Amino acid sequence: MILMLILLKFLIFKMLLKLYKYYNAGVREYWIIDPKKRKVIVYDLEAMRSDEETDRPDISLYGFEDMIPVLIWDGEFEVNMKEVSDFMKRYERLIK
């Protein structure tokens, strides 16, 4: 149990560090896909830059059955996570 907590803390730290680096590099949108939990976290870094009063990105959470709008294209393009999930299942052995 303790080992899992340490790993979880390390994972969260690593994700936040990458988020900080991506923000400073000018990345506008950052997705984290968790195949085990079948969730997608989308960080809208562009919204954070445009709103000087906040120091946090807009965060959205989606499931693998969702159509996820690509925010940098104003939602005009969507990713069908069901199709991505089906593709991942076919190649699951390579992911592990």
Side-chain angles (χ1 to χ4, degrees), residues 31-33 38-42 60-64 68 81:
W31 292 30
I32 297 175
I33 300 174
R38 300 181 53 80
K39 299 288 180 196
V40 180
I41 304 169
V42 177
S60 301
L61 181 64
Y62 298 94
F64 272 28
I68 304 176
M81 280 307 297

Side-chain angles (χ1 to χ4, degrees), residues 25-73:
V27 171
R28 297 164 52 195
E29 185 172 349
Y30 171 43
W31 292 30
I32 297 175
I33 300 174
D34 185 342
K36 289 186 181 185
K37 292 185 180 177
R38 300 181 53 80
K39 299 288 180 196
V40 180
I41 304 169
V42 177
Y43 293 93
D44 183 355
L45 303 178
E46 186 70 16
M48 186 173 152
R49 281 188 196 84
S50 63
D51 185 359
E52 295 178 9
E53 294 181 12
T54 185
D55 60 351
R56 297 182 204 149
D58 287 345
I59 302 170
S60 301
L61 181 64
Y62 298 94
F64 272 28
E65 302 297 320
D66 293 326
M67 296 290 291
I68 304 176
V70 178
L71 302 175
I72 60 173
W73 290 325

